Amino acid sequence: NLRLGVVGHGTGWQGLAHNDIADAGGNYAIMQNSAGVTLLNAAGGQYMDFRIGNSGRARLTAAGDMGVGVTAPSAKLHVGAHYAATVL
């Protein structure tokens, strides 16, 4: 169920998406245009995990909170179990 090529973002962009959601308004995983601009993406309401050895190291939530070493960040930048930062 993989779509490679045009994934519903407009002309000039090629990408990779799950075939079941590729046409649902920007639901691609990775995309690049001919100028080299590269986009990473998750479907609306979903998070993005950054993994090493299939173990989660960081998470970007749909709300825009980034957690490093935590799976449920509660601030714009949440690092480890004891430190959190909020932009004032």
Side-chain angles (χ1 to χ4, degrees), residues 5-58:
V6 177
V7 291
H9 191 67
T11 60
W13 291 87
Q14 299 296 305
L16 174 75
H18 193 285
N19 196 48
D20 290 348
I21 63 171
D23 291 326
N27 289 330
Y28 57 88
I30 188 168
M31 189 177 306
Q32 190 173 60
N33 70 9
S34 60
V37 176
T38 303
L39 307 175
L40 296 174
N41 185 56
Q46 301 299 317
Y47 59 85
M48 291 180 68
D49 259 354
F50 298 86
R51 297 172 164 249
I52 297 175
N54 205 32
S55 180
R57 301 294 184 215

Side-chain angles (χ1 to χ4, degrees), residues 48-86:
M48 291 180 68
D49 259 354
F50 298 86
R51 297 172 164 249
I52 297 175
N54 205 32
S55 180
R57 301 294 184 215
R59 178 171 287 183
L60 178 61
T61 69
D65 294 342
M66 182 70 176
V68 179
V70 296
T71 57
S74 59
K76 290 300 174 194
L77 177 60
H78 188 161
V79 179
H82 302 287
Y83 303 97
T86 303

